Amino acid sequence: MRRRLLFLVSGILALTACQALAGPPGPATPTPIRLPMGYIANVQFAPFYVAVEKGYFAQEGIQLSFDYSFETNGVQLVGAGQLPFALVSGEQVPLARAQGLPVVMIAQWYQRYPIAIFARAEKGIRSPQDLRGKTVGLPGFFGASYVGFKALLYATGIPEEEVRAVDLGGFTQVAAVREGKVDAAVGYINNEPLMLRRAGLDVTVIDVADYADLVGNGILTNERTIRDQPDLVRRFLRAFLRGLRDTLRNPKEAFEISKKYVEGLSGENEAAQWEVLQATLLLWKAEVPGRSDPRAWEEMTRVLVRIGQLKEPGDIHAAYTNAFVEELWPLVERGR
């Protein structure tokens, strides 16, 4: 009888442990959520792919689908309450709030601002001061690349008129640099420079984050969702943070999982995309992944005002919250 009781107790403890690891059960009927990604399917979204594939979102009662359409304006949809979440670059948050959209960043996924200026080594561009008199290509005069470029000039005291900025009309920076159409270009440090190096070119890189502390990419929601559906916010973030945790701990597993969601991760392109993921991991790591630095929000706002994209700073501390990640990450880190 004692042996049977021990087996019963052991089984209950094992079941309890599994339930704790999975988190509290989600609603009986899954909540469908369409998530605007702001970019094409890419290995840089590995934490989300891992969280879906391992059932973390399903365990939270969320049926997640990815929206890669460039026509989808995630900031507007979340601000209007038509969607609960979107992935955005940090500078979009104060810009949207200045337009009356009550958006809030609930997790700063990229701890470092991922924008860089890159050039062929023969151009001799190794520091911001080397940009004087040079032509720099941007995918457009908007978004993270534009803000990062302007912030670099501002932080290093380079007058804008001393650098010729060119609108490339799209994401063609790699070709523009390779073919010599521009002296340098602006893009993501974990993407375009790596592509040029894989093509056999010697490339120099100026990391904007070394000169300006700006807010990187993160997860956006709105004030109403935080107020009326805090449990949905917790469930969504808990699933994401579990996927991020697993990706940081086992990037090879995450890369294999991503192959189901992203074309071109196998074959001759596999080594290049593996480099992209490795470079991206460095942008995510933090003592508390997802936590925002208030100083970065303040500096980014000053830059946006300086370059004329914001008239006044506004209440920048209402644009983000660390409450959810600070509550959830210790639990996720311990396997709950």
Side-chain angles (χ1 to χ4, degrees):
M1 179 70 180
R2 180 178 297 175
R3 181 176 298 177
R4 291 182 60 189
L5 180 60
L6 287 174
F7 279 132
L8 178 60
V9 171
S10 298
I12 293 173
L13 290 175
L15 178 60
T16 302
C18 290
Q19 289 173 337
L21 189 62
T29 302
T31 303
I33 291 179
R34 175 167 61 95
L35 182 65
M37 311 299 279
Y39 192 54
I40 60 175
N42 192 278
V43 71
Q44 296 168 52
F45 298 129
F48 288 95
Y49 303 146
V50 169
V52 170
E53 199 65 16
K54 289 191 172 185
Y56 296 155
F57 279 105
Q59 290 167 13
E60 299 289 353
I62 293 173
Q63 184 179 351
L64 189 65
S65 60
F66 302 120
D67 183 349
Y68 301 109
S69 173
F70 287 125
E71 286 73 31
T72 301
N73 190 324
V75 177
Q76 293 287 338
L77 292 172
V78 171
Q82 296 180 37
L83 290 178
F85 307 105
L87 303 186
V88 302
S89 184
E91 79 285 340
Q92 297 301 311
V93 184
L95 294 177
R97 290 186 65 87
Q99 298 173 6
L101 297 176
V103 294
V104 182
M105 183 177 282
I106 50 175
Q108 187 184 324
W109 171 22
Y110 277 67
Q111 292 296 300
R112 284 178 66 86
Y113 202 67
I115 299 303
I117 297 178
F118 52 94
R120 298 181 66 157
E122 63 199 51
K123 295 290 184 178
I125 301 175
R126 292 174 172 79
S127 74
Q129 299 302 324
D130 295 327
L131 293 171
R132 296 176 186 269
K134 298 295 194 298
T135 300
V136 179
L138 294 95
F141 290 165
F142 59 88
S145 294
Y146 181 67
V147 171
F149 170 67
K150 292 278 194 174
L152 180 69
L153 298 184
Y154 169 55
T156 54
I158 301 174
E160 293 183 22
E161 59 271 17
E162 292 190 12
V163 182
R164 182 170 175 257
V166 177
D167 185 347
L168 297 174
F171 297 94
T172 59
Q173 303 101 300
V174 170
V177 168
R178 184 180 60 239
E179 297 166 10
K181 294 180 179 179
V182 294
D183 296 312
V186 186
Y188 276 71
I189 196 170
N190 54 334
N191 193 20
E192 287 90 353
L194 300 182
M195 295 172 64
L196 287 167
R197 285 172 177 156
R198 291 291 301 180
L201 298 178
D202 190 4
V203 179
T204 58
V205 176
I206 300 172
D207 187 348
V208 170
D210 287 340
Y211 300 89
D213 190 9
L214 306 177
V215 179
N217 299 28
I219 300 174
L220 191 72
T221 190
N222 56 64
E223 294 175 359
R224 178 182 235 178
T225 300
I226 291 175
R227 184 187 69 237
D228 297 345
Q229 297 178 285
D231 183 60
L232 176 62
V233 176
R234 288 188 183 91
R235 290 189 284 120
F236 185 90
L237 279 186
R238 182 164 44 229
F240 163 72
L241 289 172
R242 292 175 74 189
L244 178 60
R245 175 201 63 196
D246 291 1
T247 302
L248 290 170
R249 290 179 179 177
N250 194 343
K252 288 188 177 180
E253 177 193 52
F255 188 81
E256 290 301 315
I257 288 174
S258 298
K259 289 180 178 180
K260 179 177 178 179
Y261 296 85
V262 185
E263 294 183 6
L265 296 191
S266 301
E268 61 182 21
N269 200 35
E270 182 167 349
Q273 291 302 307
W274 171 243
E275 287 183 6
V276 169
L277 179 58
Q278 287 182 302
T280 306
L281 295 175
L282 301 176
L283 303 174
W284 298 339
K285 289 183 178 179
E287 184 177 346
V288 180
R291 187 182 186 280
S292 282
D293 183 348
R295 293 170 299 179
W297 284 94
E298 292 166 3
E299 181 169 346
M300 185 178 67
T301 303
R302 286 195 295 269
V303 170
L304 292 173
V305 172
R306 177 65 181 262
I307 67 179
Q309 293 209 340
L310 274 181
K311 290 184 179 180
E312 55 186 26
D315 184 7
I316 190 60
H317 296 293
Y320 68 95
T321 177
N322 286 319
F324 293 102
V325 293
E326 289 178 345
E327 170 195 344
L328 295 170
W329 177 252
L331 301 174
V332 168
E333 193 177 27
R334 294 199 300 267
R336 297 186 63 184

